């Protein structure tokens, strides 16, 4: 077991990275550090002397961040003695991810898929910024709401819990997965003001929908089956009221072995590379500003515009 005291973070990353290469998926790597709770007034890397021994301080957040960057989950630390704890990293199984699903296009996100087990609304870094976006668009005033890529309706649950009176709103959800929409219909069957459709987003015209006060689409417009820019502009021009609002969610994460891991990874890359993400966000921002919209960009694992 490694015992880290005054080693630099550069040295620690080098040591742990090499050790993790020797481990199989799901194996655990343990090491001893100074208990971060021993001093709460220090910055990362600040020298701390305890019982005549010098340490470089790091918070729990530093060790959690490092676990994610090294492709691990952090397990509950164990106490070694009054001044030290044992940090344990469990290597993620990189082959366990819905992104590698071989299900059909319609059911890759269906109820029998690995994706169906994910509830983004239980991830604080998603829910917090989504709630903020709903407040920013004044959701109580947005009586007609369209969600593209609604899946089983997690984002509708948040709207229902946020507005003062859901009975005054009309929510419309569209998704390409029949099983996801069937599940959503059961989930919201008590709401007569929620309509759900299994439909191709490329062909919204055939639904003959009236314009909406708010359009929400999270992680959907970036699908390879959609033409992002033409579809986005058409939504603004034809499906949104002139005084309407949008909430666009751009994934800046991926799901590996049940964990939401920060950083978008486009095709043909094996590391986080966010050029496409920034390009899409900037295009939407510029286009909306030209249309006299006020635009804000927030978020972390999902970028909300």
């Amino acid at each position: 077991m490694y015992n880290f005291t005054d080693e630099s973070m550069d040295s620690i990353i080098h040591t742990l990275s090499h050790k993790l290469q020797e481990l199989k998926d799901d194996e655990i790597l343990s090491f001893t550090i100074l208990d971060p709770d021993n001093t709460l007034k220090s910055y990362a890397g600040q020298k701390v002397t305890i019982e005549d021994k010098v340490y470089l301080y790091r918070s729990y957040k530093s060790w959690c961040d490092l676990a994610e960057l090294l492709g691990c989950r952090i397990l509950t630390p164990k106490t070694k003695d009054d001044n030290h704890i044992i940090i344990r990293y469990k290597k993620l199984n990189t082959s366990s991810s819905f992104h590698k699903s071989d299900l059909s296009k319609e059911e890759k996100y269906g109820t029998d898929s690995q994706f169906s087990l994910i509830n983004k609304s239980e991830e604080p870094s998603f829910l917090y910024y989504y709630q903020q976006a709903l407040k920013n668009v004044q959701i109580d005033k947005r009586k007609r709401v369209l969600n593209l890529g609604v899946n089983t309706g997690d984002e509708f649950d948040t709207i229902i819990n946020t507005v003062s009176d859901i009975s005054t709103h009309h929510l419309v959800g569209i998704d390409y997965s029949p099983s996801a929409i069937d599940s959503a219909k059961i989930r919201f069957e008590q709401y007569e003001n929620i309509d759900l459709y299994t439909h191709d987003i490329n062909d919204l015209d055939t639904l003959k929908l009236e314009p909406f006060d708010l359009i929400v689409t999270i992680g959907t417009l970036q699908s390879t089956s959609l033409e992002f820019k033409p579809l986005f502009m058409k939504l603004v021009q034809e499906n949104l009221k002139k005084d309407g609002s949008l909430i666009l969610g751009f994934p800046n994460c991926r799901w590996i072995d049940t964990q939401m891991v920060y950083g978008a990874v486009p095709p043909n890359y094996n590391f986080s590379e966010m050029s496409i993400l920034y390009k899409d966000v900037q295009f939407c921002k510029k286009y909306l500003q030209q249309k006299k919209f006020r635009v804000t960009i927030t978020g972390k694992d999902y970028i909300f515009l």
Side-chain angles (χ1 to χ4, degrees):
M1 183 186 297
Y2 296 111
N3 179 32
F4 295 127
T5 55
D6 61 350
E7 292 84 355
S8 68
M9 181 54 70
D10 179 69
S11 174
I12 292 172
I13 291 176
H14 178 80
T15 299
L16 297 183
S17 296
H18 279 271
K19 183 59 179 179
L20 286 167
Q21 290 176 6
E22 301 172 5
L23 301 183
K24 297 178 181 178
D25 290 341
D26 294 326
E27 284 195 289
I28 295 174
L29 172 59
S30 301
F31 52 93
T32 302
I33 64 165
L34 173 69
D35 187 344
D37 290 350
N38 275 18
T39 172
L40 300 177
K41 300 295 185 179
S42 299
Y43 292 95
Q46 187 173 340
K47 289 184 178 180
V48 177
T49 302
I50 297 178
E51 295 182 351
D52 298 323
K53 192 170 186 63
V54 177
Y55 299 85
L56 295 185
Y57 175 82
R58 279 103 186 184
S59 67
Y60 278 111
K61 182 179 186 303
S62 294
W63 298 111
C64 289
D65 288 345
L66 181 58
E68 183 177 59
L69 292 168
L70 294 180
C72 300
R73 73 177 78 218
I74 186 168
L75 305 180
T76 304
K78 293 184 175 181
T79 299
K80 183 178 181 181
D81 54 47
D82 289 344
N83 294 320
H84 301 88
I85 61 169
I86 299 172
I87 294 288
R88 298 178 298 149
Y89 286 174
K90 187 174 185 181
K91 193 173 180 180
L92 294 177
N93 181 355
T94 56
S95 64
S96 177
S97 173
F98 85 87
H99 301 286
K100 299 180 179 181
S101 171
D102 57 1
L103 294 174
S104 67
K105 179 175 65 175
E106 293 84 357
E107 287 307 309
K108 181 178 180 180
Y109 302 96
T111 53
D112 290 331
S113 68
Q114 196 170 349
F115 177 83
S116 69
L117 302 175
I118 295 171
N119 184 350
K120 297 190 297 295
S121 296
E122 289 300 321
E123 298 286 354
S125 67
F126 173 87
L127 180 62
Y128 176 84
Y129 291 107
Y130 178 46
Q131 289 174 328
Q132 289 299 310
L134 291 173
K135 292 177 182 178
N136 288 343
V137 299
Q138 298 177 302
I139 184 61
D140 272 325
K141 297 181 179 179
R142 308 301 172 183
K143 302 302 182 181
R144 281 181 51 79
V145 179
L146 171 65
N147 187 318
L148 297 176
V150 68
N151 202 259
T152 58
D154 291 343
E155 286 94 40
F156 275 179
D157 259 346
T158 304
I159 290 176
I160 291 170
N161 293 331
T162 302
V163 299
S164 55
D165 184 3
I166 191 59
S167 67
T168 64
H169 289 64
H170 180 203
L171 309 185
V172 176
I174 299 174
D175 201 279
Y176 201 51
S177 170
S179 64
I181 287 296
D182 288 344
S183 178
K185 286 180 177 179
I186 295 172
R187 182 177 187 172
F188 300 111
E189 60 184 351
Q190 73 272 34
Y191 295 97
E192 295 182 357
N193 54 331
I194 296 181
D195 292 321
L196 298 155
Y197 301 94
T198 301
H199 199 77
D200 186 349
I201 294 174
N202 287 305
D203 187 30
L204 288 179
D205 292 344
T206 58
L207 289 177
K208 301 185 185 306
L209 299 171
E210 295 293 322
F212 291 87
D213 300 300
L214 172 64
I215 296 176
V216 178
T217 179
I218 297 173
T220 298
L221 297 187
Q222 294 74 41
S223 170
T224 55
S225 64
L226 301 175
E227 292 189 60
F228 173 72
K229 291 182 180 178
L231 177 57
F232 167 71
M233 292 187 289
K234 186 175 181 180
L235 287 173
V236 175
Q237 295 167 10
E238 300 180 10
N239 299 102
L240 187 68
K241 292 182 179 179
K242 289 185 177 180
D243 59 349
S245 294
L246 296 101
I247 296 176
L248 307 180
F250 298 82
N252 187 29
C253 62
R254 59 211 185 277
W255 301 86
I256 300 175
D257 197 9
T258 75
Q259 302 295 290
M260 184 170 71
V261 179
Y262 175 84
V265 178
N268 303 320
Y269 282 83
N270 61 0
F271 58 89
S272 177
E273 207 290 325
M274 293 179 279
S275 296
I276 296 176
L277 168 66
Y278 290 145
K279 182 180 179 182
D280 288 346
V281 171
Q282 183 60 26
F283 171 81
C284 294
K285 176 178 181 289
K286 184 176 180 181
Y287 180 81
L288 291 171
Q289 287 178 329
Q290 289 174 344
K291 297 285 185 179
K292 307 304 180 183
F293 284 83
R294 181 178 65 86
V295 181
T296 59
I297 300 173
T298 60
K300 179 186 174 185
D301 296 286
Y302 277 76
I303 305 303
F304 285 94
L305 181 148

